[in-house]
Amino acid sequence: MAFLDIEHLEKSFGTNRVVKDFNLEIEQGEFISLLGPSGCGKTTVLRMVAGFESTSSGAIRIDGQDVTNLRPNQRNIGMVFQAYALFPNLTVAENVGFGMRVGKKPKAQIKSRVEEMLQLIGLPGLGGRYPFQLSGGQQQRVALARALAVQPRVLLLDEPLSALDAKIRVSLREEIREIQRELGITTIFVTHDQEEALSMSDRVVVMNGGVAEQTGEPFEIYNHPKSRFVAQFVGTLNTLDATVIDAKTGQVRVGETQIGLNRELPGALAGSTINLALRPEVVSLGRKPGRDTILKGRLAEVHFLGSTIRMRVDVDGALISLDTFNTPDTPPPRIGDAVELSLAERDLLVL
Ligand code: ADP
Ligand code: MG
């Protein structure tokens, strides 16, 4: 049995079913992300695991123990929220030690544990400060320390980085993951940011309308999306309309280019339109070995990002995004230039 086992979890608010038959087995020490757009039910799942929200049906087990109907303080779970939820009138040390004081732990033990936690989050010596004297990133690290101080069995993080500046967000990602690894604590991380989910997680659960649409390792989710929603929500996706020539052999046409998809297109009639999709990184500007399908287009946008350049090329009315690396000696082509794109047929997804 998995360490954290969520079975057939359901939640309705009145007639509104916001979590539908949610199932997830998490191994001890695993880092799992719930990824999905705002309102898809991520927080509600997390709050049910924490015990802040009752379940409409289903079961939650931690380490073999059924906790479905236990109060939050009986579950031994640590939680960090999006907005800094530190107690403003307590010092950093008092915040971190809060749970242990509630649990009536001896003073000396609290003191040494608090010091250990401040060390862990890289803020030794700041125990005497108040939250308002800290940056947003430091406050979230203190919130993490407070959640971890009581040695919870499970750590729940609800969009803990979303209120922070971009640079801090990226560095804190790595810090959180490092601390999580070091402690080996089983973690559920909620985010609507696909890059965050892909870069941090052992596995990602993509949620849509209260349903877990796909669960898998980041590589799997990104490269083998099981639904159109997952394909579009996780990463940038180019879509192209193609006209079917022969559904049995997978011959289609995009603009002037005939493409052999080498797979059957069930249910597609000759002359009908299907939707092809491809990631930016499988498209090259100009001809490249191994990328034998050539699409002709016109450069519509150039976004110079520094180390990379994102371009959008108009192919038969569809805008195809692709990235190239910056080359200091060669300026990028100009908007309006006729360009060729090359790609490999096997990289085309049929949606
Ligand atoms: P997410 O965290 O993915 O943005 P939530 O879990 O917060 O989504 O919300 C999922 C849905 O449940 C939303 O439609 C939201 O309005 C609804 N919801 C959440 N909490 C409550 C509540 N206490 N009462 C009524 N509806 C709620
Ligand atoms: Mg939420």
Side-chain angles (χ1 to χ4, degrees), residues 42-43 158-159 190:
K42 307 179 295 295
T43 294
D158 192 358
E159 311 224 17
V190 159

Side-chain angles (χ1 to χ4, degrees), residues 172 288 300 325 328:
L172 257 186
K288 287 277 149 56
F325 284 110

Side-chain angles (χ1 to χ4, degrees), residues 13 16 18-19 36-45 53 158-159 190:
F13 292 108
N16 190 13
V18 301
V19 175
S38 172
C40 73
K42 307 179 295 295
T43 294
T44 303
V45 169
E53 199 73 72
D158 192 358
E159 311 224 17
V190 159

